[in-house]
Amino acid sequence: MPYEHKPYLLILIAPSGGGKSTICDEVLSRYKEFVYSISFTTRKVRGDEKDGVDYFFLDKAEFLKKRQAGVFIESALVHGKWYGTSKEFIADQLAKGNNIILDIDVHGALNILDSGVECVSVFLLPPTQEVLRKRLEKRGTDDQATIELRMENAAREIALIKRFDYLVINDDLNAAVSDIEKIIRAEKLRVERYKEIKENYYRSENA
Ligand code: 5GP
């Protein structure tokens, strides 16, 4: 009988353009015990994004109503739009024993860390600010003013990096995914992640 593990939240924090969504997809395809937390947002649909898959898209009034009703475990204004994580989804998935990946901004991440939920936080940093700018420009989804805003926000986010557990420099995508895999493996071996160690150790083979 395998030793069971206590589930946790894997929080990926990165300036936008940091390659987070690709990394999330890789982790989800390789580790079946992870589920993705789909956030709510008031920002507009981008490219081929789908409602209920990439985000739950809603207008500001609906968002603020939910926020008021305590639907979110955390919510934040990011680049002038609201984003929030469902409290119910997190509680349900943890109760089922699933680990959850969250792709959220620095402030949301800090709020979750302070909420006392079991988490592991990973900051994904592009190697330099020039690389970040090029990635945002190449993405082609933001106008120049938005890119400038995202660059300024990135500078503010980097200032808070010391609050998080791990730093992965996202130069090469495969290398970054491989670093995250190592984090996941190491986290699985933490004593505090195991359930009922003694009970398992002393169990009778014949029971
Ligand atoms: P984007 O609009 O580029 O998808 O995301 C913009 C920023 O909002 C990213 O840093 C992303 O991680 C963050 N974000 C996405 N969902 C949430 C959420 O539920 N809560 C918070 N606090 N930030 C989020």
Side-chain angles (χ1 to χ4, degrees):
M1 189 177 58
Y3 282 58
E4 273 189 72
H5 290 81
K6 292 180 210 156
Y8 65 92
L9 270 51
L10 178 65
I11 307 182
L12 298 185
I13 308 122
S16 38
K20 250 184 312 184
S21 44
T22 320
I23 288 174
C24 275
D25 290 347
E26 279 297 318
V27 173
L28 289 165
S29 70
R30 293 180 198 193
Y31 293 89
K32 296 301 165 206
E33 69 270 32
F34 277 90
V35 291
Y36 180 67
S37 163
I38 303 169
S39 297
F40 289 75
T41 185
T42 61
R43 84 144 161 78
K44 294 222 161 54
V45 178
R46 213 163 43 207
D48 58 2
E49 285 177 334
K50 293 201 174 45
D51 185 40
V53 176
D54 300 283
Y55 282 104
F56 293 108
F57 295 97
L58 70 183
D59 66 29
K60 192 174 162 193
E62 288 171 305
F63 187 98
L64 293 177
K65 210 167 134 194
K66 284 189 188 294
R67 186 169 183 258
Q68 182 69 26
V71 164
F72 304 124
I73 184 170
E74 66 76 31
S75 59
L77 255 181
V78 189
H79 315 310
K81 301 291 174 193
W82 282 102
Y83 293 80
T85 304
S86 162
K87 196 190 278 180
E88 192 183 352
F89 179 82
I90 299 293
D92 284 354
Q93 294 299 323
L94 289 178
K96 284 183 187 155
N98 290 325
N99 296 328
I100 307 164
I101 295 200
L102 290 96
D103 166 348
I104 62 178
D105 88 309
V106 168
H107 302 288
L110 291 176
N111 284 338
I112 293 199
L113 293 187
D114 293 340
S115 78
V117 184
E118 197 57 43
C119 356
V120 174
S121 52
V122 181
F123 199 103
L124 288 160
L125 188 67
T128 64
Q129 63 168 343
E130 279 85 29
V131 172
L132 175 59
R133 183 182 291 282
K134 285 204 186 93
R135 284 184 188 167
L136 289 172
E137 285 169 357
K138 201 170 146 205
R139 189 161 78 168
T141 48
D142 301 309
D143 58 28
Q144 201 52 42
T146 309
I147 289 177
E148 291 312 323
L149 182 63
R150 286 177 189 260
M151 292 300 295
E152 280 167 32
N153 287 345
R156 270 198 291 275
E157 292 176 356
I158 288 160
L160 295 165
I161 227 160
K162 289 257 162 84
R163 296 281 313 272
F164 304 108
D165 298 319
Y166 293 97
L167 174 64
V168 170
I169 307 292
N170 184 11
D171 192 0
D172 170 77
L173 186 69
N174 286 328
V177 171
S178 156
D179 282 346
I180 305 236
E181 285 196 307
K182 287 174 194 138
I183 293 169
I184 292 171
R185 284 197 217 154
E187 285 298 325
K188 199 168 177 180
L189 301 177
R190 258 187 208 282
V191 168
E192 71 203 43
R193 296 254 178 268
Y194 285 87
K195 278 186 188 170
E196 300 168 343
I197 300 172
K198 275 199 282 183
E199 288 80 349
N200 276 300
Y201 181 71
Y202 288 110
R203 71 181 179 263
S204 159
E205 293 294 339
N206 303 317

